[in-house]
């Protein structure tokens, strides 16, 4: 009898152990949630952990302490629409025909044949939402709900744009802005001071509603793009004026999203990414961010135009408190997320590479051979190659020597012609002050060969070359 009882007890214990083991295996197989927080015109030095000493960003600093911080992360391009196209499709923007910043009533948008992050993840059963700025086509055929998103609340383009009249075209002014709920305009905004709060509340509600199913939450904040707006709860709180107040409210928003993940017990299995679309709009002076120690800002291929703060936290799989200087680009985000979610990559050619081993610290080498920077249509301005950055002759804008704007009004850019090839060693010269092209002719030649290969594929209008692999944006006749 005693032996029989012992036998029953043994099977009960081992069965319990097997059940726990099965449960553990099941839990480990649960796909990660993805949260991508994407700000607008935020500079590299506008986060405490990236050097800001006059703006309090405790939530972002904590996010970095609990995850990885990239110090050589690059936006896909130095301007709004193109940058968003790059991070959502894994493609160089000029490959898919998305250039510059689309204006209201544009007849172009992201082509429906392109696969977005949202569409890719929906094939794996993810719920998807975007709360914030879209800026990839405001025609009904191009809205987020036509590009893989189940829900959208936000604005269709930058917060300083709206159409005066369809026949007269778009104007820039500080006035009414269409606010969308999915495919319906539910309001027009003149005062945007509550928009960051509304976006945050929608994001938290989406997390609460979808805590039991994998989800992709995309939060492209319209701020700190001018005109700047902040709620009363953060007005006058920073030591960098209104711009700093806006960043503090964005940091609060990040904190609310992180708290919702923790409250629902899903923070360990959620990849949270924070970054921005391009560098600061320097013409706006005290209403612009800071890209220091990097050169120039938004709209240029210099480091200040495309090197952005980047933080990623995924407690289950990413190291804690690690700083990584290996170059990573926005186009790498889609294939990296495909890898960790076991999603199928888009059928059409993309340019990004899976950089998961870079994020975990297992690899100190980028899977990309080189990084090419494009600005305005199809002009190849420069190439990042290891520690080297080479620029080809081109024209760019600068505020150096110009009177900066203030309090919401811009200064005037000066145009500069770069007349010869320039080469910089970014490890020794982050601010790109010393051209060393004459000292390294072999490096210059290597990069020129890489550039010629890319020109064959994607073209270069500076040399009147058309690529063989470019695709058209969507168009409404």
């Amino acid at each position: 009898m005693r032996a029989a009882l012992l036998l029953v007890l043994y099977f009960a214990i081992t069965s319990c152990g097997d059940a726990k083991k099965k449960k553990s295996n099941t839990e480990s197989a649960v796909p990660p949630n993805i949260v991508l927080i994407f700000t607008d015109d935020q500079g590299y030095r506008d986060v405490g952990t990236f050097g800001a000493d006059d703006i309090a960003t405790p939530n972002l600093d904590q996010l970095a302490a609990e995850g990885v911080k990239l110090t050589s992360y690059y936006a896909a391009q130095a301007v709004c629409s193109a940058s968003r196209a790059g991070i959502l499709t894994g493609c160089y923007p000029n490959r898919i025909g998305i250039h510059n910043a689309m204006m209201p009533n544009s007849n172009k948008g992201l082509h429906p044949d392109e696969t977005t992050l949202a569409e890719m993840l929906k094939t794996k059963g993810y719920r998807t939402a975007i709360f914030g700025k879209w800026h990839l086509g405001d025609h009904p055929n191009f809205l987020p709900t036509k590009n893989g998103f189940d829900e959208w609340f936000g604005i269709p383009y930058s917060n300083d744009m709206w159409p005066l009249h369809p026949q007269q075209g778009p104007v820039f002014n500080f006035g009414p802005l269409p606010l969308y709920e999915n495919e319906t305009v539910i309001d027009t905004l003149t005062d945007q001071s509550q928009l960051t709060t509304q976006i945050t509340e929608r994001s938290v509600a989406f997390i609460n509603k979808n805590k039991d199913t994998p989800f992709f939450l995309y939060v492209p904040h319209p701020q700190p793009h001018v005109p700047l707006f902040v709620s009363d709860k953060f007005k006058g709180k920073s030591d960098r004026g209104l711009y700093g107040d806006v960043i503090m409210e964005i940091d609060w928003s990040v904190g609310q999203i992180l708290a919702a993940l923790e409250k629902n017990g899903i923070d360990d299995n959620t990849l949270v990414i924070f970054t921005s679309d391009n560098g600061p709009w320097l013409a706006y002076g005290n209403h612009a961010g800071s890209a220091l120690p990097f050169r120039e800002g938004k709209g240029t291929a210099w480091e200040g135009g495309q090197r952005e703060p980047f933080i990623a936290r995924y407690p289950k799989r990413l190291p804690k408190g690690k700083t990584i200087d290996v170059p990573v680009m926005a186009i790498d985000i889609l294939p990296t997320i495909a890898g960790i979610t076991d999603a199928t990559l888009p059928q059409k050619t993309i340019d990004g590479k899976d950089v998961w081993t870079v994020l975990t610290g297992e690899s100190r080498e980028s899977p990309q051979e080189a990084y090419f920077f494009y600005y305005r249509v199809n002009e190849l301005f420069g190439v990042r190659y290891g520690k080297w950055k080479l620029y080809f002759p081109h024209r760019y804008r600068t505020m150096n020597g110009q009177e900066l704007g203030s309090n919401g009004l811009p200064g005037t850019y000066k145009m500069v012609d770069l007349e010869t090839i320039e080469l910089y060693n970014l490890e020794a010269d982050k601010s790109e002050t010393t051209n060393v092209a004459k000292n390294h002719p072999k490096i210059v030649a290597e990069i020129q060969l890489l550039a010629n290969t890319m020109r064959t594929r994607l073209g270069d209008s500076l040399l009147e070359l058309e690529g063989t692999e470019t695709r058209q944006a969507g168009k409404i006749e």
Side-chain angles (χ1 to χ4, degrees), residues 41 116 127 129 131 158 168 208 236 296 331 384 392 401:
D41 290 1
T116 66
R127 296 291 298 172
F131 302 122
S158 293
Q168 293 176 308
N208 292 338
E296 301 298 345
I331 57 175
R384 168 83 193 249
F392 296 104

Side-chain angles (χ1 to χ4, degrees), residues 33-37 215-217 219 257 261 270-273:
N33 305 303
I34 309 294
V35 177
L36 173 58
I37 303 170
F215 61 79
F216 169 46
L217 171 61
V219 190
I257 290 170
L261 295 172
T270 300
L271 170 63
V272 178
I273 294 173

Side-chain angles (χ1 to χ4, degrees), residues 63-254:
L63 190 71
E66 296 173 353
V68 298
K69 177 174 77 169
L70 300 188
T71 54
S72 290
Y73 168 84
Y74 293 92
Q77 202 177 106
V79 67
C80 301
S81 296
S83 178
R84 289 154 207 279
I87 201 166
L88 286 178
T89 67
C91 296
Y92 282 117
N94 58 307
R95 175 182 288 282
I96 57 177
I98 302 295
H99 311 298
N100 297 321
M102 293 179 180
M103 294 299 180
N105 288 333
S106 173
N107 68 338
K108 291 186 178 181
L110 187 63
H111 199 288
D113 287 349
E114 302 297 342
T115 302
T116 66
L117 253 172
E119 288 171 314
M120 181 184 77
L121 291 172
K122 278 186 74 66
T123 66
K124 300 297 293 184
Y126 277 66
R127 296 291 298 172
T128 59
I130 167 177
F131 302 122
K133 170 182 161 181
W134 174 236
H135 215 176
L136 287 172
D138 64 320
H139 186 277
N141 287 9
F142 302 133
L143 295 180
T145 47
K146 296 295 197 298
N147 283 279
F149 289 97
D150 298 318
E151 300 179 34
W152 176 38
F153 170 84
I155 60 177
Y157 30 70
S158 293
N159 64 335
D160 63 341
M161 298 178 179
W162 65 92
L164 177 65
H165 191 277
Q167 280 73 45
Q168 293 176 308
V171 295
F172 288 80
N173 206 335
F174 299 161
L177 186 71
L179 180 65
Y180 275 77
E181 177 88 59
N182 298 323
E183 298 176 11
T184 303
V185 176
I186 59 171
D187 199 359
T188 52
L189 301 176
T190 52
D191 178 7
Q192 301 172 36
S193 60
Q194 296 304 309
L195 191 53
T196 299
T197 297
Q198 291 172 315
I199 288 168
T200 305
E201 290 171 348
R202 295 289 181 123
S203 299
V204 169
F206 178 79
I207 292 170
N208 292 338
K209 183 173 66 175
N210 294 282
K211 62 182 183 297
D212 296 323
T213 187
F215 61 79
F216 169 46
L217 171 61
Y218 176 41
V219 190
H221 283 287
Q223 295 289 310
H225 190 294
V226 293
L228 299 178
F229 285 92
V230 71
S231 68
D232 288 341
K233 56 183 174 291
F234 287 97
K235 194 173 292 183
K237 298 293 185 182
S238 83
D239 293 328
R240 208 198 292 181
L242 179 57
Y243 184 89
D245 299 346
V246 168
I247 298 299
M248 285 184 66
E249 184 157 36
I250 289 172
D251 179 80
W252 164 82
S253 175
V254 172

Side-chain angles (χ1 to χ4, degrees), residues 77-79 100 299-301 373-379 381 397:
Q77 202 177 106
V79 67
N100 297 321
T300 76
F373 300 91
Y374 295 87
Y375 169 62
R376 281 207 198 111
V377 189
N378 191 25
E379 300 173 337
F381 282 1
R397 67 188 192 183

